[in-house]
């Protein structure tokens, strides 16, 4: 079965196929199977994944060009991301002090106020 491969425009630019292939409604590009033959992988699905794309049937590709409520998600492949833009996992800061004290160093508030 023939598949189209939906990829981000940066991948099509890399392959120099941006102006020669159809665009989807969300601004991505539909490549042909032969376009990704140079990518590593034994199957079209592996090659599409390497390119950050997804494989689409001809009917799904038509829906993508016409516009669909649920477009297929594609990503920018790691090998095309600019150097130094690795995404790091955010670290969470503790919200309370480990000994139960308030952040300003006072004793914990119990809800009752004590008069001196």
């Amino acid at each position: 079965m023939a598949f189209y491969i939906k990829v981000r425009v940066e991948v099509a630019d890399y392959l120099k196929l941006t102006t020669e292939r159809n665009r989807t409604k969300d601004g991505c590009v539909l490549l042909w199977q032969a376009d990704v033959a140079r990518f590593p992988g034994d199957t079209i699905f592996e090659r599409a994944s390497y390119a950050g794309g997804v494989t689409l049937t001809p009917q799904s590709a038509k829906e993508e060009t016409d516009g669909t409520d649920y477009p297929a998600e594609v990503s920018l492949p790691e090998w095309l991301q600019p150097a130094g833009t690795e995404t790091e996992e955010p670290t969470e800061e503790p919200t309370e002090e480990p000994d139960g004290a308030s952040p300003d160093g006072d004793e914990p508030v119990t809800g009752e106020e004590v008069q001196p």
Side-chain angles (χ1 to χ4, degrees):
M1 173 181 239
F3 289 99
Y4 290 91
I5 298 90
K6 179 181 176 183
V7 296
R8 296 229 342 217
V9 70
E10 293 90 345
V11 176
D13 284 342
Y14 173 81
L15 296 171
K16 298 181 181 13
L17 295 170
T18 307
T19 59
E20 299 173 6
R21 298 295 181 260
N22 291 331
R23 292 273 183 134
T24 61
K25 203 66 154 177
D26 61 355
C28 294
V29 178
L30 294 176
L31 298 178
W32 301 344
Q33 286 183 204
D35 296 335
V36 296
R38 68 177 85 177
F39 293 149
D42 294 329
T43 67
I44 191 65
F45 306 105
E46 292 171 352
R47 292 176 181 150
S49 178
Y50 178 80
V54 295
T55 54
L56 300 173
T57 64
Q59 295 83 5
S60 297
K62 174 77 167 114
E63 290 174 7
E64 292 281 342
T65 58
D66 292 344
T68 178
D69 291 337
Y70 304 101
E73 295 289 324
V74 296
S75 61
L76 185 63
E78 189 175 305
W79 51 269
L80 262 182
Q81 293 179 4
T85 60
E86 297 87 25
T87 56
E88 295 182 17
E89 295 294 319
T91 57
E92 291 188 25
E93 306 261 339
T95 55
E96 63 180 60
E97 298 295 315
D99 63 356
S102 64
D104 59 358
D106 293 337
E107 292 298 315
V109 179
T110 61
E112 297 177 19
E113 292 197 26
V114 181
Q115 296 293 331

